[in-house]
Amino acid sequence: MARLPGYHLVLRLGSTAVTVAHRRRFSHAIARLGRSYGLIAFRLIGDTVQAIVTCGRRQAGRFAATLPVALRAHLSLAPGRARIIPLWGPSQLRGAVERLLWDVDPDDPYCEGGMLPDLWGARLDVCTDLVGGVRETVPELAILPPWGSGSTRPPTLEELVVAVEAAAGIASLRGRSRIHRAWRPALVAAAPPRVSLAELAGALGCGVRAAIRAGETPPREAQLDAIALQLRWRDEQAAVTERSPAFAA
C-alpha cells in the first residue's frame, strides 16, 4: 500500500479556560515536538488541538501518544487521547491545511495558536523553520497578508509591547531568558522617540542600564518587520470591529 500524504490529529484539552499565554506556550511546545514528525500545520481553537503531520502511520501514532504528555507539561491542562484521521490524497491534505490556517476563531483573532503568523513573518523563532515544509508540501497554497506590512500610525508604548510579545510568541517581555534579551533591542529600536529610557526599562522589566545596552545592540531586520506586521494586523482588526454591525448597534 502506498504511503499516505499525511495524517490529521485531533484532541481535546479538557478545559475551555484557554488564554493567550496558553496559546503561545502551545505553539512553542507543538512546534518543538512536531519537527521530528513532519508537522506542517497546527491550531488550537477553543479546547480542541489539531495538527497535520506528513510522517508515516507508525510515527503519527507516536506523535499522537507524545503530544498529550508535552501539552500537559507545558499548559498545565489535561488533554485526552488524540484521534488520528488519514488524509487520502494531496487535495485532502491541502484542504485540511487550509482549514487549519484560515478557520476563524473569535477568541484568537491573531491566530496565536496557529501557524499563520509564522507564515506571514509576523512571528519569529516559534516555528519559522517549519514554514519551508508547508510551502514545499502545499506549493499552491496562497499565503500573503491581505494588507500591507507596516502600521499606518505611530504606536503607543503599550501597543508596541503587545506587538513585540506576539512577534516573539511570549506571554510577557518582562523576563531575563535568552528570548527576552534577544527581543529587547527590537522594542527599543521600534519605540517612538517620545518614550523615555525609564519607560522602556519598565516595559522590559529591566534596569535603565540594560535598556541602554539594548539600544546599542542592532535588532534583526526580521524582528522589526514582524513587529510592524503585528501592529498593522491589530490596526486592521480594530477597523473591522468598528465596521461590524454588531458593534455599530
Side-chain angles (χ1 to χ4, degrees), residues 207-214:
V208 171
R209 289 185 180 180
I212 293 172
R213 287 195 298 272

Side-chain angles (χ1 to χ4, degrees), residues 13 17-33 35 42 44 49 67 70-77 108 111-114 123 125-127 165-166 168-172 179-180:
L13 283 178
V18 177
T19 65
V20 170
H22 279 124
R23 294 186 183 97
R24 291 176 181 173
R25 291 202 302 271
F26 160 78
S27 294
H28 278 281
I30 195 170
R32 191 180 304 116
L33 179 63
R35 287 181 176 91
F42 62 80
L44 170 56
V49 170
L67 181 57
L71 296 182
R72 192 176 297 115
H74 287 88
L75 276 66
S76 300
L77 298 175
D108 186 18
C111 300
E112 308 262 17
R123 185 171 65 188
D125 306 326
V126 176
C127 54
E165 289 170 347
I170 54 179
S172 172
I179 189 169
H180 288 89

Side-chain angles (χ1 to χ4, degrees), residues 12-19 22-23 45-48 77 107:
R12 293 291 181 89
L13 283 178
S15 172
T16 56
V18 177
T19 65
H22 279 124
R23 294 186 183 97
I45 299 182
D47 68 338
T48 303
L77 298 175
D107 295 325

Side-chain angles (χ1 to χ4, degrees), residues 91-182:
S91 62
Q92 197 172 14
L93 175 68
R94 181 177 62 252
V97 171
E98 288 179 335
R99 283 192 298 274
L100 286 198
L101 287 176
W102 297 113
D103 272 358
V104 175
D105 180 3
D107 295 325
D108 186 18
Y110 308 110
C111 300
E112 308 262 17
M115 283 184 70
L116 194 58
D118 309 271
L119 291 164
W120 282 351
R123 185 171 65 188
L124 302 179
D125 306 326
V126 176
C127 54
T128 308
D129 57 324
L130 302 178
V131 168
V134 182
R135 298 187 189 279
E136 182 179 341
T137 305
V138 194
E140 67 274 33
L141 191 63
I143 307 167
L144 291 172
W147 23 258
S149 60
S151 182
T152 56
R153 59 180 178 79
T156 66
L157 179 58
E158 291 76 15
E159 290 169 334
L160 184 60
V161 168
V162 168
V164 175
E165 289 170 347
I170 54 179
S172 172
L173 269 175
R174 299 173 63 84
R176 298 182 180 181
S177 71
R178 177 188 57 81
I179 189 169
H180 288 89
R181 294 195 302 272

Side-chain angles (χ1 to χ4, degrees), residues 192-218:
R194 64 182 181 276
V195 177
S196 69
L197 277 171
E199 290 174 310
L200 288 171
L204 293 168
C206 66
V208 171
R209 289 185 180 180
I212 293 172
R213 287 195 298 272
E216 294 170 346
T217 304

